[in-house]
Amino acid sequence: MMKRWLKHKEVMAQALNAQTAEKAAQYAAQTERLEQRVRVLERIITDRGGDLAHEIERLRDAPLN
């Protein structure tokens, strides 16, 4: 009986670890997308010679990945 319980606990721990790893990967991907967007915004703000309205419209049309 104790072996079955320990095996069950081990399986449950593995499932929880898999879920945690998946969530971490999702958060990492989301963070990367946000960092890319911030870099673009920083470039737009610091670029004095560019057409700001055109750049913003181009970003609105770009896919979000």
Side-chain angles (χ1 to χ4, degrees), residues 24-42:
Q26 289 173 357
Y27 288 139
Q30 181 179 14
T31 300
E32 177 61 29
R33 287 190 302 270
L34 290 172
E35 287 174 351
Q36 288 174 357
R37 294 180 74 179
V38 168
R39 280 193 291 273
V40 169
L41 292 172
E42 288 172 340

Side-chain angles (χ1 to χ4, degrees), residues 4-59:
R4 287 180 66 197
W5 182 78
L6 287 174
K7 183 64 177 171
H8 172 72
K9 285 294 192 181
E10 182 181 337
V11 169
M12 294 301 289
Q14 289 173 350
L16 183 58
N17 286 342
Q19 286 179 332
T20 302
E22 177 64 27
K23 283 283 189 190
Q26 289 173 357
Y27 288 139
Q30 181 179 14
T31 300
E32 177 61 29
R33 287 190 302 270
L34 290 172
E35 287 174 351
Q36 288 174 357
R37 294 180 74 179
V38 168
R39 280 193 291 273
V40 169
L41 292 172
E42 288 172 340
R43 185 173 42 85
I44 290 171
I45 290 170
T46 58
D47 184 14
R48 303 276 182 216
D51 181 12
L52 184 59
H54 175 70
E55 188 74 15
I56 290 171
E57 289 304 317
R58 187 182 66 76
L59 288 173

